[in-house]
Amino acid sequence: MQPKTLGEFVIEKQHEFPYSTGELSSLLNAIRLAAKIVNHYVNKAGLVDILGATGEINAHAEEQQKLDMLANKLFIDALINREIVCGIASEEEESFISIAGHNKDNTNKYVILIDPLDGSSNIDVNVSVGSIFSIYRRISPVGTPVTEADFLQPGHKQVAAGYVIYGTSTMLVYTTGHGVNGFTLNPALGVFYLSHPNMKFPEKGKIYSINEGNYVHFPMGIKKYIKYCQEETGDRPCTSRYIGSLVSDFHRNMIKGGVYLYPPTSKHPNGKLRLLYECNPMAFLAEQAGGKASDGNRRILDIEPSELHQRVPFYVGNKEMIDKIEEFISIYD
Ligand code: AMP
Ligand code: P6P
């Protein structure tokens, strides 16, 4: 029997909400389409002139790779053309985009935040990258232009979140608060099939993902945790695996059991990862898969955002491993 397609799954879940208008389903389907289009370009990036940097700088003084600019445009076009959201925020856009409906007030109730191509520094070396999305209900009145407050909501208000991983196969993994499900793209048919139903972190984890090149700048608690992972006792030593692509490291750790760490460093004293369109969606997925996500002291999903591109220290993965990281931070920092 053929596995369920993503389209069938989305409609099936919608029917569990008899009063739904179909708006969230339409939004999820637009993301599905955008994922296929971005996948097409990611898979041929080496063949056409979309490799390398644009020479432009994004809102964070980071060099913009051509493919992440293209991915940004593809996602935004797919969403704007269907008029199924009232606002979009993106890592690649300094401010949010308000979508006024053509010839009518925009009566849509969702805003979306995206990291259109995370890990873009890996593009030129053929290492897997990903797209991340996060969906909220607007809090400003429907029919009026969106405000920044619609985007600055704590992560526990998310309606849905997910990622696309462009790896040895392309997968779309998402949650709407009722578990995490993974869909693998059959590129010959252009169809995502349910391949990883009800994804959960294993009980135990033995992988830690961190850029140890920053070791000298880590807080003492993190230095002590790394050495703890390397001890030859109990369920250790752990295995160190770091791809330099959050989506890929997270995906592997959710399947095999592990934790991703991006602590404060000298270059990024508040951490490098962005709260709104990287940490919150990955934290929502992690908790839905039985894991945990923290900034070392607080639950990521409880942090009240103050600005669109704010950064936080980020620890996400197996609950037991995150508990141990928080324990070391509380003792040594
Ligand atoms: P809607 O009016 O279609 O935006 O749906 C209203 C609410 O029903 C959404 O905010 C979700 O909480 C739930 N819902 C609707 N469609 C779906 C779906 N396809 N998958 C999961 N939840 C859904
Ligand atoms: P570093 C990619 O730029 C990213 O945001 C994450 O996907 C990745 O885990 C991290 O930064 C890599 O950062 O400083 O280790 O190269």
Side-chain angles (χ1 to χ4, degrees):
M1 180 190 170
Q2 262 203 348
K4 209 169 287 181
T5 69
L6 176 55
E8 291 165 337
F9 185 89
V10 167
I11 293 302
E12 180 185 289
K13 293 302 173 189
Q14 179 189 331
H15 291 154
E16 293 175 11
F17 299 86
Y19 301 106
S20 66
T21 62
E23 196 173 324
L24 182 61
S25 295
S26 297
L27 178 46
L28 294 171
N29 288 331
I31 293 167
R32 168 164 59 107
L33 174 63
K36 291 184 203 174
I37 299 171
V38 172
N39 176 66
H40 169 74
Y41 285 99
V42 166
N43 284 345
K44 67 175 194 173
L47 300 175
V48 295
D49 182 24
I50 49 176
L51 281 181
T54 60
E56 293 173 36
I57 297 296
N58 68 13
H60 323 294
E62 290 167 347
E63 191 172 64
Q64 285 191 310
Q65 298 283 346
K66 287 182 181 176
L67 197 52
D68 53 11
M69 284 301 290
L70 177 62
N72 184 55
K73 184 180 182 320
L74 292 169
F75 266 101
I76 290 174
D77 288 351
L79 294 164
I80 287 185
N81 296 343
R82 283 162 186 73
E83 287 186 20
I84 45 178
V85 289
C86 53
I88 304 171
S90 169
E91 179 184 41
E92 304 300 343
E93 301 289 333
E94 193 151 350
S95 181
F96 61 86
I97 299 166
S98 177
I99 302 168
H102 297 303
N103 311 320
K104 63 177 174 47
D105 287 338
N106 187 327
T107 56
N108 294 311
K109 57 175 177 279
Y110 298 116
V111 295
I112 188 169
L113 300 96
I114 58 173
D115 182 355
L117 206 66
D118 180 72
S120 51
S121 57
N122 286 320
I123 294 167
D124 290 355
V125 294
N126 208 12
V127 169
S128 61
V129 292
S131 305
I132 309 172
F133 64 90
S134 172
I135 298 168
Y136 292 85
R137 275 184 199 78
R138 68 181 299 174
I139 53 177
S140 55
V142 170
T144 64
V146 288
T147 65
E148 191 173 55
D150 290 312
F151 298 92
L152 298 184
Q153 298 184 57
H156 64 76
K157 296 278 193 183
Q158 289 174 95
V159 172
Y163 59 79
V164 185
I165 177 169
Y166 311 99
T168 47
S169 64
T170 295
M171 281 188 69
L172 191 152
V173 178
Y174 82 102
T175 183
T176 58
H178 305 281
V180 177
N181 291 283
F183 300 81
T184 299
L185 180 67
N186 176 335
L189 303 178
V191 178
F192 281 101
Y193 286 101
L194 179 61
S195 54
H196 296 65
N198 194 27
M199 298 180 81
K200 292 287 183 191
F201 281 92
E203 189 63 33
K204 294 285 183 190
K206 290 197 69 171
I207 298 170
Y208 69 100
S209 305
I210 189 169
N211 183 344
E212 295 196 45
N214 297 317
Y215 182 86
V216 295
H217 304 298
F218 288 155
M220 183 52 71
I222 298 300
K223 290 181 177 177
K224 293 284 189 183
Y225 178 73
I226 292 172
K227 294 308 167 197
Y228 167 80
C229 287
Q230 294 166 347
E231 284 169 357
E232 295 264 359
T233 56
D235 55 358
R236 281 155 286 128
C238 294
T239 296
S240 174
R241 286 281 184 278
Y242 190 70
I243 297 179
S245 168
L246 166 63
V247 168
S248 308
D249 280 315
F250 179 94
H251 186 75
R252 181 205 52 247
N253 291 349
M254 182 161 63
I255 293 172
K256 291 194 175 290
V259 67
Y260 172 95
L261 307 89
Y262 210 103
T265 64
S266 58
K267 186 180 176 189
H268 297 296
N270 294 321
K272 177 182 181 186
L273 278 294
R274 277 82 168 199
L275 173 62
L276 292 184
Y277 40 78
E278 291 176 329
C279 302
N280 273 337
M282 303 312 275
F284 188 17
L285 288 160
E287 291 196 0
Q288 286 292 312
K292 185 174 180 180
S294 163
D295 71 348
N297 302 298
R298 298 171 294 177
R299 179 188 181 220
I300 289 290
L301 296 183
D302 286 342
I303 297 176
E304 288 290 343
S306 54
E307 55 184 61
L308 208 51
H309 299 291
Q310 82 182 77
R311 301 172 193 265
V312 292
F314 189 44
Y315 309 106
V316 63
N318 276 71
K319 183 181 180 310
E320 188 182 84
M321 296 177 83
I322 301 295
D323 288 345
K324 185 59 78 174
I325 290 169
E326 291 182 326
E327 181 188 328
F328 275 94
I329 290 173
S330 66
I331 296 168
Y332 294 102
D333 293 325

